[in-house]
Amino acid sequence: MIRSPRLLLLTMTALAFNTDATPAATIAECQELLRIGEYQQCLDFATDAIQRRSYGEEWPLLKIQAEKAVGQYEQALQTSVDGLSRYSWSVRLRMEAHDCYQRSGEQELSRQTLAEIDRMVSAAPWRYTDADDLVALGNAAIALGADPKDVLEGFFDRARRNYATRPDGSLASGRLALQKGDFALAAEILTPAAQDFADNPDVLFALSEAVRSADAERSAELLQAVLEINPNHADALLRICDQRIDAEDYDAAEELLQRVLSFNPWHPIAHAQQAVIHHLLNRPIDEARSRSLALAFSPKSPEVDHQIGERLSRKYRFAEGAAYQQQALQRDPNHLPSRIQLSQDLLRLGQEDAGWTLAEAAHEQDGYSTTVFNLLQLKDSLHRFATLENDRFVVRMNADEAAVYGDRVLQLLNEVHAEMTARYGYTPAEKTVVEIFDRPADFAVRTFGIPDVAGFLGVCFGKVITANSPTSQRGSPTNWESVLWHEFCHVITLQMTGNRIPRWLSEGISVYEERRKDGRWGQSMSHEFRDRILEGNITPVSELSSAFLNAESGEDLNFAYYESSMVVEFLVQQFGTETLTGILSDLSNGMLINDSLERRADGLAELDAAFDDYLTELARSFAPDVEFDFEVTELTADELKLAASTNPRNYFLGMSLAAQQLREKEYSDAEQNLQRLIELFPEDAGSGSARRLLAELYRRTDRVQEQASLLKQHLEVSGDDLDAAMQLLAIQTKQEDWPAAVATGRLLMSIDPMQPVALRLIATAASASDDRDMALRCLQGLLSLEPADAPKTHFQMAGLLRQNEPQLARRHILLALEQAPRYREAHRMLLELTDREMEFPGNSKR
């Protein structure tokens, strides 16, 4: 039974004043003090026990752990040395000494300590079979360069199996998996351990780290559970501090750091995180001082600079982060975490040769790092990519996709480059690298270092853009042109500010510029957003960065994007574009965003109030007479009709009735109902809108013209409804409405250009409209997508080329005949081209 902290402390206090010759506290009681974070009291009792000559290696081990917890690092080393003079056989004490030597940069003494462990275990392996010894030996083996898989199986798993009532093996296994970046394995190991050892804060913290990327809510719950057990758990406090830094809530972050420094004034990572905050707040002198404090007891260790650099890179300050990793590698050229992070930083900075070289070196050093393994797997898959290049961009994408729409990618990028550079008065000095991935896992590895990250369409690092291709988005089609437009806007804002722009402003500008380009792009007012706003859920401008970090759902995140974009729209409307570019200039010069807004937008408090009024008024004017609060319940057909008739302004109630009427083929009633709903809420751009449902009704009743009219109206407000675009294209082609079909085809190709049926229809429409370039582009794509139909495709291309480029037409005819020697129409065209060349030999283009 575990004693409560209050009862334990009373017991400890009583024992402290006990004048008997017995030890002041038991080992178990001191272990409990460590568990609940009463480090100084544990240290006092352990020191007293050692002075009393109480026997057991646990006493110096407890004293060392308590000394390290309160920042007495030199004393911890001395305690390990003194302990070994009495317990010379202890591998755990030697590993503590090794850790202290590592911290202080005494590499030779560290190596000697590991060598002594190796000799001791070789001489008497039977001595070291307890769970804690097995874990210590496993850690020693890893430090000596043993295969991590062998260590996991030979030491840590053995400790788990043989000592199931102790957490040592599970915790060591989980930590090793975390160290190698295998979060799934770590979670698999630690989840049952957290159930079996629910009162162990270290196990709970390790599980929180394992699930942090996959389940942020669960991770946060585990962190709180850790702090309920041990309010002084430094790792948990520092992880929450990390999150506050990400949210740009620097005051809260510094409060957490002070909590850590209150019991450990020399905690190196706490001081490193304080250095990060100073860096982000443009306080270089304070940054240098905090870094010096972090290095006070580990002047030769690379870990401090690595930690500072890693956190700066998380804030998209890749150049500064890379500089810190380089400093870390100057201290220790073989520091693997710094090598891995620097390789990722360089790849994100577009320095690819150096980045890949470092990744390969890291893999040679440690073949079990999942991050490096994933990166090198990605490098191999990049060989499938084609490279398209002009004087502004380097585009890499799947070769088959490049054949279909690669030229449109470059064309679009040139358009956004021209528009944004003129608008913001900034031109990137170097080419922007754009990588478009047809495999979501490859995109995730390139972007985040791990393959299992979903929900992102594209990411910009400043000089490098990564994006998912339309092929990878088949389950939920998205307009890829809007994605690239959005991401290039980040290129401008990130480079203009030296990556010093808060996330909300950079995202807000990108979404705002999407809407300026095409009203169907980017987040716009919706009934969900309207309800949030009218319920008072507007994040103040001064706190918008937290809206992204604290988002608990995709809808929360979408609203953060929308609100940020509306702040930008409000700033431009009220103060002009020059104010927006002025804010970007302030950020570039190191000014904080709220200080810049205070300076340029008539005061921050005034801005918050004015924007709140502005957004609230927009929400009130959006579908003001429509109700959206219908909840689906089990209603009979008659009950649903009655509810809809008595609530005629409830949109979803009306839509439910329309769906029922369609199922029951009550087409006349459904049509009347849906026409009323379209008039009630014409802004609905969803794929399940009243327009789409009415178009479906017209399809079922063979009213093709009305169907096409509604689909066209729908696509004027929706930029990513692939199914609607496919239906409309088929109708327009069948009706030989060629210009309209080409226009629909352009929209369709901005959603998914890799649809063979659509490409064939667009090619037909473009040919009939004399849009030769569009037709050729579609036919070229079909050569990759439908190789079985290549003879027909080559023949069609020859037909488009024979007037102006007969030699190229001849080449396509020959390719058609090579695959289909009896293709009579191709033979006739070849004869025609041959006769023409003989008659007018000078007309041939070569």
Side-chain angles (χ1 to χ4, degrees):
M1 180 177 177
I2 296 174
R3 226 177 272 182
S4 73
R6 176 179 288 276
L7 178 60
L8 177 69
L9 291 178
L10 290 172
T11 305
M12 295 293 96
T13 303
L15 287 169
F17 291 101
N18 188 354
T19 57
D20 294 342
T22 57
T26 66
I27 288 172
E29 287 166 334
C30 275
Q31 288 172 333
E32 177 66 3
L33 286 171
L34 271 183
R35 187 184 76 88
I36 64 173
E38 294 293 338
Y39 304 126
Q40 187 59 53
Q41 197 159 9
C42 174
L43 176 57
D44 292 342
F45 287 134
T47 301
D48 178 69
I50 291 171
Q51 290 173 347
R52 291 168 178 263
R53 302 290 295 171
S54 298
Y55 186 78
E57 66 173 326
E58 288 295 342
W59 288 117
L61 286 167
L62 284 166
K63 184 169 182 281
I64 291 166
Q65 292 176 66
E67 285 168 335
K68 290 196 296 185
V70 298
Q72 296 181 14
Y73 300 114
E74 292 178 340
Q75 295 91 324
L77 174 58
Q78 189 59 51
T79 300
S80 66
V81 173
D82 294 343
L84 285 169
S85 67
R86 187 174 187 187
Y87 309 105
S88 59
W89 41 265
S90 174
V91 294
R92 287 192 289 160
L93 279 170
R94 276 188 167 74
M95 280 305 293
E96 290 291 353
H98 163 73
D99 179 66
C100 291
Y101 289 137
Q102 285 283 99
R103 181 186 297 275
S104 61
E106 300 293 343
Q107 298 298 329
E108 183 55 37
L109 290 173
S110 173
R111 283 190 288 270
Q112 289 178 13
T113 304
L114 292 174
E116 289 170 5
I117 293 174
D118 193 29
R119 286 195 296 271
M120 290 167 49
V121 175
S122 297
W126 47 268
R127 183 191 290 271
Y128 307 105
T129 57
D130 288 344
D132 42 22
D133 282 337
L134 287 170
V135 168
L137 289 176
N139 288 328
I142 289 172
L144 286 165
D147 187 315
K149 184 178 179 182
D150 292 342
V151 171
L152 187 67
E153 295 173 354
F155 292 99
F156 299 160
D157 284 352
R158 185 176 162 197
R160 290 167 62 196
R161 288 193 307 270
N162 296 351
Y163 300 93
T165 59
R166 297 182 59 174
D168 307 61
S170 295
L171 187 55
S173 297
R175 284 173 170 169
L176 179 59
L178 287 173
Q179 181 186 348
K180 301 304 176 186
D182 194 339
F183 301 107
L185 176 60
E188 180 183 332
I189 293 168
L190 291 165
T191 296
Q195 295 171 349
D196 295 339
F197 308 103
D199 61 347
N200 187 304
D202 293 332
V203 171
L204 299 183
F205 176 75
L207 179 56
S208 172
E209 291 290 279
V211 302
R212 184 157 52 92
S213 296
D215 190 345
E217 185 176 354
R218 172 67 173 144
S219 179
E221 291 171 354
L222 287 163
L223 282 178
Q224 290 306 312
V226 169
L227 293 174
E228 287 172 9
I229 298 169
N230 178 358
N232 294 327
H233 197 282
D235 288 340
L237 291 169
L238 293 173
R239 174 56 68 203
I240 297 173
C241 175
D242 267 345
Q243 295 168 352
R244 299 326 308 160
I245 291 173
D246 288 344
E248 297 171 18
D249 187 354
Y250 301 124
D251 290 341
E254 289 184 317
E255 287 179 12
L256 287 160
L257 292 178
Q258 289 308 309
R259 281 180 61 180
V260 175
L261 295 173
S262 68
F263 59 83
N264 183 350
W266 298 104
H267 198 293
I269 305 306
H271 286 296
Q273 287 186 331
Q274 184 65 72
V276 170
I277 293 173
H278 289 318
H279 185 104
L280 296 172
L281 296 178
N282 199 29
R283 303 192 296 229
I285 295 175
D286 294 333
E287 177 186 357
R289 182 173 62 250
S290 289
R291 178 175 176 271
S292 295
L293 290 170
L295 291 166
F297 289 96
S298 52
K300 299 178 183 178
S301 171
E303 192 61 29
V304 166
D305 283 335
H306 166 67
Q307 293 286 343
I308 295 174
E310 190 269 340
R311 284 161 174 78
L312 288 176
S313 294
R314 285 219 309 266
K315 297 293 288 182
Y316 276 48
R317 308 287 275 272
F318 300 112
E320 295 117 298
Y324 268 104
Q325 300 305 337
Q326 287 161 342
Q327 287 182 180
L329 290 169
Q330 287 174 2
R331 283 182 160 77
D332 181 359
N334 295 316
H335 190 243
L336 183 63
S338 295
R339 273 188 172 180
I340 295 172
Q341 184 63 47
L342 181 56
S343 72
Q344 291 180 292
D345 286 343
L346 294 178
L347 289 171
R348 289 163 179 163
L349 288 166
Q351 300 177 30
E352 294 168 4
D353 290 343
W356 289 124
T357 298
L358 268 172
E360 288 167 351
H363 185 63
E364 289 179 9
Q365 182 179 344
D366 181 359
Y368 287 89
S369 168
T370 57
T371 299
V372 177
F373 176 79
N374 289 332
L375 276 176
L376 294 181
Q377 288 285 99
L378 169 65
K379 184 185 179 186
D380 290 340
S381 72
L382 289 177
H383 293 310
R384 301 180 297 109
F385 280 30
T387 299
L388 312 175
E389 190 168 359
N390 60 23
D391 58 345
R392 295 167 181 167
F393 295 96
V394 177
V395 176
R396 299 192 186 98
M397 57 193 299
N398 175 281
D400 289 341
E401 295 194 359
V404 178
Y405 68 102
D407 56 345
R408 175 55 188 156
V409 170
L410 278 177
Q411 181 184 352
L412 178 84
L413 291 171
N414 283 334
E415 290 173 15
V416 67
H417 185 282
E419 188 164 333
M420 292 303 106
T421 53
R423 183 167 169 78
Y424 289 91
Y426 177 85
T427 301
E430 300 177 37
K431 292 183 180 183
T432 302
V433 176
V434 180
E435 295 178 346
I436 303 173
F437 295 92
D438 57 317
R439 297 175 181 173
D442 286 347
F443 165 78
V445 168
R446 178 67 168 97
T447 307
F448 306 105
I450 53 178
D452 300 319
V453 179
F456 290 84
L457 300 173
V459 172
C460 176
F461 300 113
K463 297 178 182 178
V464 175
I465 292 171
T466 59
N468 273 303
S469 84
T471 304
S472 69
Q473 300 294 307
R474 287 271 166 80
S476 181
T478 303
N479 193 301
W480 64 265
E481 292 188 359
S482 72
V483 173
L484 292 187
W485 196 276
H486 178 107
E487 297 306 331
F488 184 77
C489 292
H490 283 311
V491 171
I492 297 295
T493 56
L494 289 173
Q495 290 194 29
M496 278 186 75
T497 61
N499 286 40
R500 294 182 179 91
I501 186 171
R503 180 180 178 184
W504 76 260
L505 182 56
S506 188
E507 297 292 1
I509 290 173
S510 287
V511 175
Y512 167 69
E513 292 295 348
E514 277 187 88
R515 282 201 306 266
R516 284 188 72 249
K517 172 62 178 175
D518 190 320
R520 298 170 294 184
W521 292 0
Q523 282 80 356
S524 298
M525 181 70 79
S526 66
H527 71 87
E528 295 94 345
F529 293 172
R530 183 195 78 167
D531 291 346
R532 283 173 177 254
I533 295 165
L534 295 181
E535 289 166 5
N537 294 325
I538 301 175
T539 303
V541 178
S542 54
E543 301 172 15
L544 260 175
S545 287
S546 65
F548 287 89
L549 182 73
N550 297 333
E552 296 180 357
S553 67
E555 195 60 34
D556 289 343
L557 195 59
N558 273 329
F559 185 69
Y561 278 97
Y562 171 71
E563 185 182 348
S564 298
S565 74
M566 295 310 295
V567 172
V568 174
E569 188 169 299
F570 178 75
L571 287 170
V572 172
Q573 286 183 8
Q574 296 296 311
F575 305 102
T577 304
E578 61 276 7
T579 292
L580 186 59
T581 55
I583 291 170
L584 297 177
S585 177
D586 289 343
L587 295 172
S588 176
N589 292 326
M591 186 179 289
L592 300 181
I593 180 60
N594 286 354
D595 293 338
S596 180
L597 290 170
E598 181 81 30
R599 172 189 179 193
R600 295 185 180 270
D602 294 343
L604 191 56
E606 292 78 4
L607 176 62
D608 276 340
F611 175 69
D612 192 291
D613 291 342
Y614 168 74
L615 197 58
T616 300
E617 185 55 36
L618 285 177
R620 289 195 182 113
S621 63
F622 179 81
D625 299 322
V626 187
E627 298 172 3
F628 296 104
D629 57 354
F630 171 66
E631 293 184 7
V632 178
T633 56
E634 292 294 331
L635 296 177
T636 66
D638 290 339
E639 288 172 337
L640 185 56
K641 288 178 182 177
L642 178 62
S645 65
T646 55
N647 296 276
R649 296 193 176 280
N650 193 304
Y651 186 70
F652 292 125
L653 190 56
M655 288 294 291
S656 295
L657 176 61
Q660 174 182 287
Q661 290 167 334
L662 273 180
R663 286 194 300 271
E664 296 178 2
K665 299 183 179 180
E666 298 173 356
Y667 294 138
S668 178
D669 290 341
E671 179 180 5
Q672 183 178 355
N673 183 22
L674 288 167
Q675 286 174 341
R676 180 184 64 83
L677 291 171
I678 293 170
E679 293 176 5
L680 180 66
F681 185 35
E683 298 92 344
D684 192 356
S687 59
S689 69
R691 278 195 198 90
R692 287 288 274 114
L693 207 56
L694 185 53
E696 173 61 19
L697 184 154
Y698 289 146
R699 185 191 68 80
R700 294 185 188 183
T701 56
D702 295 324
R703 295 164 67 179
V704 177
Q705 200 59 46
E706 289 99 326
Q707 178 191 2
S709 177
L710 278 175
L711 290 172
K712 184 178 179 182
Q713 291 175 34
H714 170 69
L715 291 172
E716 288 171 357
V717 295
S718 173
D720 54 13
D721 192 334
L722 179 65
D723 182 59
M726 292 282 285
Q727 287 186 42
L728 182 57
L729 176 64
I731 294 170
Q732 291 168 333
T733 306
K734 188 174 182 179
Q735 294 179 342
E736 298 185 359
D737 188 355
W738 304 126
V742 170
T744 302
R746 291 186 189 280
L747 173 60
L748 195 151
M749 290 187 71
S750 72
I751 305 170
D752 186 354
M754 304 297 287
Q755 296 280 346
V757 172
L759 288 179
R760 187 72 70 185
L761 293 175
I762 299 167
T764 300
S767 297
S769 300
D770 294 326
D771 189 342
R772 194 184 71 147
D773 290 343
M774 169 68 91
L776 287 171
R777 186 184 311 136
C778 294
L779 293 170
Q780 183 66 47
L782 285 167
L783 290 175
S784 299
L785 297 177
E786 291 188 331
D789 286 339
K792 176 183 176 182
T793 305
H794 281 298
F795 177 78
Q796 289 176 297
M797 294 178 78
L800 290 166
L801 293 164
R802 63 182 171 182
Q803 292 300 321
N804 297 320
E805 299 182 68
Q807 282 298 106
L808 189 54
R810 179 186 178 88
R811 179 175 179 274
H812 281 288
I813 283 295
L814 291 174
L815 288 169
L817 290 170
E818 181 181 334
Q819 298 178 56
R822 297 184 180 182
Y823 196 160
R824 291 188 177 184
E825 290 177 299
H827 278 291
R828 281 195 289 269
M829 187 180 292
L830 179 59
L831 289 172
E832 177 189 325
L833 288 168
T834 302
D835 291 342
R836 183 178 172 191
E837 184 176 351
M838 292 176 65
E839 186 175 354
F840 304 105
N843 283 349
S844 298
K845 280 192 177 181
R846 299 185 183 276

